[in-house]
């Protein structure tokens, strides 16, 4: 008996499972416990030991946050799938891009694994998601039930535990600081994303922030998941969780297979909550499928199912809801849902009572398990559908005949054109660069111009960002007031960025060089002797260059009247003051025009570097954060001023 016991311990140790701690053992409390929050450092330690001790878990660092914290991503599946992770990743990529024939696709579908992305949310005050993810990781990695074994065999779960690590630290420290005071459930007076606060869920096509583009690189350039599940808080008042289906309208660029698949998953989730006797599940409220730029909406335009849930109770502090106060209706924009159990989309009302943080964690776990289990059951369907929707885009079967965009390399603001190309590339769009001149339907293409065919799998994303949107007329009732959009209603990037784009009404047979990475343009001085150099006012990058020069004490003049080749507002720098050793100047990519002769006149303004005071009260303000980021990005000298600064200082 003793010998058998020793052999068993060796077996467990060899496989790594004996040393795996649960989150409760690691943190010293169960995730979701009253008045408790695991910090990001605790989570990093936990996920590192989980990956180290389990052959079912692989850990990746995908980049750094604005404040330099590591961003982690886990792949969790069976040992066999983890060993063949790159093969399954390549399968997902080939099926998503849909450039292969049907015979090869069928083989890949039969042998591939469904890839499901689940994250712990990105709004740091919605704290339950980040607390739930370690428990989900542990459960999927270690549980030996029939259901979980099936999930591990058929699904690769990509778990992004925390998408806003900086914010988690801000919010958790604020909570601990105020625990036991009247301000226990208050929000911090700082933005919980260093620059943009809640708007980090409005950055998923522009990718201004590293947290956004690191995640997007994983989803649209590396893993190509078929399902993206983004956890949020909180639900409508007196509900426990919002799940799909979403409300109207649906963007017509989205493949109808995505809309119906999203509805289907919502139904599966609702059924699981009902059978687990978890009431308060509401659908068809507030959140539409129109806006292209949220974490769960951008996947729609890549033929991926996007799931958002909003779970109630976003604080570790318990709260009691008196059943006598239960309203007759809950919800908002659609006029509310009756709480008498007669509603299709709210069939099992929550009656009130004690509400605890652990309940939010449990609801998030149930939602996640419903999605994973359904993906395991429908593995081949999901793999096949993303391929077929990609083929529909390539063949013009849903959105009509394909055509070609041309973005000239030389235009009023050359760098903004490159920025537009980089935005599209980062979103998974295939882009070529013309290697010779050509003309099609009267539109000239010069060598170096960017050529983008809509005949590609992610056509909905490309077309939706390049074309104007027409938001549908919706009214609360016939003849009544309009039902306002939930979020943005229009976002045509060439218009917003001031970039000239031509459109050829067909696909063209032109040889191009594929762009395989982000384009970085360096500023170069013309190779001729000059008295001075001009930075055009029409070029946004000129402002970066000018601020960099002013910081170094260089002379910069502003032209106030148009003359010769100069436009009012242009910047002129004497030759002796243009130092190419300034790294921030060269990386701006600004266009530089030489002047053979130039003498400053009394009408030209010699600029002085000025310091900008950016007022901010002790209330977090996203407009202030965006402005602060913009000033930083353009090398302005700025400082934040609070009430006391305004009242006491010069």
């Amino acid at each position: 008996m003793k010998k058998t016991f020793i052999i068993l311990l060796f077996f467990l140790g060899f496989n790594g499972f004996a040393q795996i701690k649960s989150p409760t053992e690691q943190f010293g409390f169960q995730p979701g416990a009253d008045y408790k929050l695991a910090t990001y450092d605790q989570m990093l330690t936990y996920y590192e030991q989980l990956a180290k001790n389990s052959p079912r878990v692989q850990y990746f660092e995908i980049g750094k946050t604005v404040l330099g914290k590591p961003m982690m991503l886990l792949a969790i599946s069976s040992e066999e799938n983890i060993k063949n992770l790159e093969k399954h990743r390549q399968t997902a990529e080939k099926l998503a891009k849909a450039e292969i024939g049907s015979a090869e696709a069928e083989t890949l579908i039969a042998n591939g694994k469904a890839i499901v992305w689940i994250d712990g949310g990105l709004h740091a005050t919605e704290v339950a998601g980040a607390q739930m993810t370690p428990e989900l990781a542990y459960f999927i990695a270690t549980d030996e039930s029939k259901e979980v074994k099936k999930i591990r065999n058929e699904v690769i779960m990509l778990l992004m535990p925390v998408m806003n690590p900086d914010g988690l630290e801000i919010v958790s420290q604020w909570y601990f600081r105020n625990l036991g005071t009247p301000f226990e459930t208050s929000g911090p007076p700082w933005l919980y994303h260093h620059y943009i606060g809640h708007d980090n869920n409005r950055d998923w096509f522009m990718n201004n922030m590293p947290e956004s583009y690191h995640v997007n690189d994983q989803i649209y350039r590396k893993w190509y998941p078929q399902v993206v599940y983004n956890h949020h808080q909180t639900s409508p008042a007196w509900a426990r969780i919002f799940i799909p289906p979403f409300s109207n309208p649906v963007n017509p660029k989205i493949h109808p297979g995505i809309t119906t698949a999203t509805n289907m998953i919502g139904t599966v989730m609702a059924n699981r909550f009902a059978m687990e006797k978890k009431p308060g599940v509401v659908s068809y409220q507030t959140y539409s499928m129109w806006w292209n730029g949220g974490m769960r909406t951008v996947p729609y335009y890549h033929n991926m199912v996007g799931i958002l849930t909003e779970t109630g109770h976003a604080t570790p502090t318990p709260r009691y809801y008196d059943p006598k106060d239960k309203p007759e209706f809950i919800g908002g924009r659609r006029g509310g849902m009756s709480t008498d159990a007669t509603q299709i989309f709210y069939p099992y009302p929550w009656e009130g009572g004690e509400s605890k943080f652990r309940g939010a964690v449990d609801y998030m776990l149930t939602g996640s398990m419903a999605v994973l289990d359904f993906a395991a059951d429908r593995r081949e369907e999901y793999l096949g559908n993303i391929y077929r929707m990609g083929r529909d885009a390539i063949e013009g079967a849903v959105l009509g005949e394909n055509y070609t965009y041309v973005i000239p390399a030389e235009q009023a603001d050359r760098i903004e054109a490159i920025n537009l190309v980089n935005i599209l590339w980062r979103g998974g769009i295939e882009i070529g660069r013309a290697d010779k001149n050509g003309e099609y339907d009267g539109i000239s293409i010069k060598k170096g111009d960017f050529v983008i065919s809509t005949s590609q799998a992610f056509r909905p994303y490309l077309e939706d960002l390049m074309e104007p949107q027409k938001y549908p007329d919706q009214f609360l009732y016939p003849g009544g007031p309009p039902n306002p959009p939930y979020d943005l209603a229009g976002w045509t990037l060439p218009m917003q960025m001031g970039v000239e784009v031509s459109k050829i009404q067909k696909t063209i047979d032109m040889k191009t060089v594929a762009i395989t990475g982000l384009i970085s343009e360096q500023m170069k001085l013309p190779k001729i002797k000059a008295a001075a150099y001009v930075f055009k006012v029409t070029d946004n990058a000129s402002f970066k260059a000018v601020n960099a020069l002013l910081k170094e004490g260089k002379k910069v003049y502003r032209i106030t009247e148009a003359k010769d080749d100069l436009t009012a507002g242009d910047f002129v720098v004497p030759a002796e003051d243009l130092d190419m050793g300034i790294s921030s100047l060269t990386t701006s990519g600004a266009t530089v025009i030489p002047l053979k002769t130039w003498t400053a006149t009394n009408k030209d303004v010699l600029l002085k570097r000025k310091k900008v005071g950016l007022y901010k009260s002790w209330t977090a303000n996203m407009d202030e954060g965006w402005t602060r980021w913009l000033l930083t990005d353009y090398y302005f000298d700025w400082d934040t001023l609070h009430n006391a600064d305004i009242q006491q200082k010069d």
Side-chain angles (χ1 to χ4, degrees):
M1 185 69 182
K2 182 177 181 182
K3 183 177 180 181
T4 303
F5 182 64
I6 293 172
I7 291 173
L8 178 60
L9 280 179
F10 174 77
F11 176 77
L12 290 172
F14 177 77
N15 282 279
F17 298 115
Q19 300 176 40
I20 296 177
K21 291 183 179 180
S22 69
T24 300
E25 292 169 321
Q26 180 76 26
F27 303 150
F29 57 88
Q30 185 185 35
D34 292 348
Y35 309 109
K36 299 289 186 181
L37 284 174
T39 66
Y40 191 61
D41 287 342
Q42 287 176 302
M43 292 182 185
L44 282 175
T45 300
Y46 179 70
Y47 290 119
E48 286 171 354
Q49 72 87 19
L50 184 64
K52 179 181 178 181
N53 294 319
S54 174
R56 298 169 177 169
V57 181
Q58 192 161 335
Y59 178 106
F60 306 92
E61 183 179 319
I62 64 171
K64 302 288 187 184
T65 67
V66 164
L67 300 181
K69 291 187 182 298
M71 296 181 68
M72 55 180 158
L73 177 68
L74 303 177
I76 304 176
S77 192
S78 68
E79 294 96 316
E80 185 67 21
N81 290 342
I82 293 297
K83 286 178 184 177
N84 294 286
L85 200 55
E86 176 58 20
K87 182 187 78 171
H88 293 307
R89 188 205 67 77
Q90 290 180 15
T91 293
E93 180 176 5
K94 289 178 181 178
L95 292 173
K97 290 186 175 181
E99 294 168 349
I100 56 176
S102 58
E104 182 181 354
E106 290 303 320
T107 300
L108 293 176
I109 291 165
N111 296 294
K113 302 299 176 183
I115 298 181
V116 176
W117 171 286
I118 298 179
D119 60 66
L122 43 79
H123 292 146
T125 51
E126 301 168 7
V127 293
Q131 306 300 305
M132 174 274 298
T133 48
E135 194 157 316
L136 179 62
Y138 175 74
F139 184 66
I140 297 300
T142 64
D143 188 74
E144 295 299 329
S145 66
K146 181 179 178 181
E147 180 184 45
V148 174
K149 284 182 178 179
K150 177 187 65 176
I151 290 171
R152 283 198 298 264
N153 287 335
E154 304 296 335
V155 176
I156 296 168
M157 178 175 71
L158 295 178
L159 184 65
M160 185 79 205
V162 183
M163 278 197 290
N164 183 9
D166 299 334
L168 174 61
E169 290 302 285
I170 291 170
V171 170
S172 60
Q173 290 175 15
W174 180 258
Y175 181 75
F176 295 143
R177 173 180 171 179
N178 291 283
L179 192 60
T181 76
F183 307 104
E184 187 173 299
T185 58
S186 67
W190 310 282
L191 292 171
Y192 51 76
H193 177 282
H194 182 67
Y195 285 121
I196 59 175
H198 200 84
D199 270 355
N200 57 359
N201 202 25
R202 302 299 181 273
D203 190 41
W204 292 102
F205 64 68
M206 290 302 288
N207 289 298
N208 291 304
M209 300 298 146
E211 293 86 351
S212 306
Y213 57 70
H214 289 320
V215 168
N216 270 355
D217 285 348
Q218 297 298 310
I219 296 177
Y220 308 119
R221 280 279 165 196
K222 184 173 182 179
W223 289 102
Y224 304 92
Q226 295 85 50
V227 181
V228 175
Y229 183 178
N230 181 214
H231 281 278
H232 281 263
Q233 291 187 284
T234 67
S235 61
W238 278 81
R240 295 285 83 193
I241 189 171
F242 165 86
I243 64 172
F246 298 102
S247 69
N248 293 319
V250 176
N251 191 308
K253 296 290 190 293
I254 298 170
H255 194 290
I258 288 298
T259 307
T260 51
T262 302
N263 294 345
M264 191 185 307
I265 289 183
T267 300
V268 168
M269 295 172 78
N271 182 253
R272 187 167 184 130
F273 280 110
M275 298 313 296
E276 291 185 7
K277 296 181 177 57
K278 290 177 177 171
V281 179
V282 66
S283 300
Y284 201 56
Q285 287 284 301
T286 305
Y287 312 101
S288 70
M289 291 180 68
W290 179 264
W291 150 239
N292 181 355
M295 172 62 197
R296 62 93 189 175
T297 57
V298 171
Y300 299 148
Y301 303 86
H302 294 79
N303 304 320
M304 302 170 187
V305 179
I307 302 296
L308 169 141
T309 56
E310 297 272 356
T311 307
H313 204 104
T315 171
T317 300
R319 178 181 172 184
Y320 182 76
Y321 291 79
D322 193 330
K324 296 195 302 292
D325 296 331
K326 187 185 79 169
E328 293 183 9
F329 295 89
I330 63 168
R333 291 175 66 246
R334 306 211 141 270
M337 296 270 181
S338 170
T339 61
D340 61 2
T342 62
Q343 301 290 300
I344 292 292
F345 292 112
Y346 193 55
Y348 187 10
W350 182 59
E351 299 298 329
E354 192 71 23
S355 178
K356 285 181 170 286
F357 192 37
R358 178 63 204 186
V361 170
D362 285 336
Y363 270 63
M364 288 180 167
L365 287 169
T366 293
S368 299
M369 287 301 299
V371 170
L372 290 168
D373 182 65
F374 194 62
D377 286 341
R378 301 293 186 102
R379 174 186 63 82
E380 291 194 32
E381 181 179 327
Y382 277 116
L383 293 172
N385 283 352
I386 198 170
Y387 171 75
R388 284 184 280 274
M389 286 185 281
R391 289 306 309 169
D392 285 346
I394 291 171
E395 296 166 1
V398 174
L399 294 178
E401 293 296 321
N402 279 291
Y403 46 90
T404 305
Y405 292 109
V406 179
I407 303 177
E410 295 300 326
Q411 49 183 294
D413 195 335
R414 180 176 59 89
I415 297 301
E416 284 307 314
I418 290 171
N419 289 340
L420 174 56
V421 169
N422 283 339
I423 287 169
L424 297 174
W425 184 88
R426 194 145 234 164
I429 298 302
E430 304 298 324
I431 305 167
R433 204 157 193 178
D435 68 350
K436 62 179 180 180
N437 296 339
E439 184 171 319
Y440 300 85
D441 293 351
I443 295 175
S444 296
I445 300 177
K446 295 181 180 179
K447 183 178 179 179
D449 287 352
F450 303 99
V451 180
I452 314 173
S453 171
T454 62
S455 182
Q456 54 181 296
F458 297 161
R459 173 183 174 177
Y461 184 70
L462 169 64
E463 194 171 305
D464 193 59
L465 294 183
M466 298 291 278
E467 299 291 329
Q469 290 73 43
K470 296 181 180 179
Y471 193 81
D473 289 335
Q474 295 190 116
F475 299 93
L476 292 176
Y477 50 86
N483 195 5
Y486 165 65
D487 220 304
L488 276 69
W491 47 85
T492 306
L493 294 192
M495 293 181 184
Q496 291 181 312
M497 300 176 73
V499 176
E500 175 191 343
V501 177
S502 300
K503 188 161 70 172
I504 301 170
Q505 297 294 338
K506 63 182 179 182
T507 56
I508 62 174
D509 183 17
M510 183 181 197
K511 186 178 179 182
T512 61
V513 179
I515 292 175
T516 58
L518 297 173
I519 302 171
S520 178
E521 287 286 304
Q522 299 291 310
M523 191 189 83
K524 297 177 181 178
L525 280 175
K527 294 181 179 179
I528 63 173
K529 189 174 181 180
Y533 296 94
V534 179
F535 293 86
K536 299 297 292 181
V537 68
T538 53
D539 187 349
N540 283 349
S542 294
F543 292 84
K544 289 186 177 182
V546 167
N547 278 335
L549 288 165
L550 291 174
K551 183 178 180 180
E552 296 293 324
K554 307 299 182 181
K555 291 181 180 178
V556 181
Y557 293 87
R558 192 93 191 257
I559 304 302
T560 59
E561 291 184 356
K563 54 184 176 181
D564 301 325
D565 294 330
L566 298 177
T567 303
D570 285 350
F571 304 98
V572 178
V573 181
E576 63 270 17
D577 283 288
L578 192 57
D579 182 0
M580 292 300 294
I582 304 174
S583 61
S584 56
L585 174 60
T586 58
T587 57
S588 73
T591 301
V592 188
I593 301 172
L595 294 176
K596 290 184 179 180
T597 60
W598 183 77
T599 303
T601 70
N602 57 6
K603 292 184 178 180
D604 300 325
V605 178
L606 179 62
L607 299 180
K608 294 182 180 179
R609 193 169 194 240
K610 295 182 179 180
K611 193 167 188 177
V612 178
L614 186 61
Y615 169 71
K616 177 188 175 301
S617 69
W618 284 109
T619 300
N621 185 289
M622 288 186 291
D623 290 341
E624 177 273 335
W626 278 111
T627 307
R628 176 163 35 88
W629 167 74
L630 189 68
L631 293 173
T632 302
D633 194 45
Y634 277 83
Y635 308 146
F636 282 93
D637 183 17
W638 62 269
D639 195 8
T640 297
L641 303 177
H642 294 289
N643 294 349
D645 299 307
I646 298 295
Q647 293 166 352
Q648 299 174 13
K649 295 183 179 180
D650 182 2

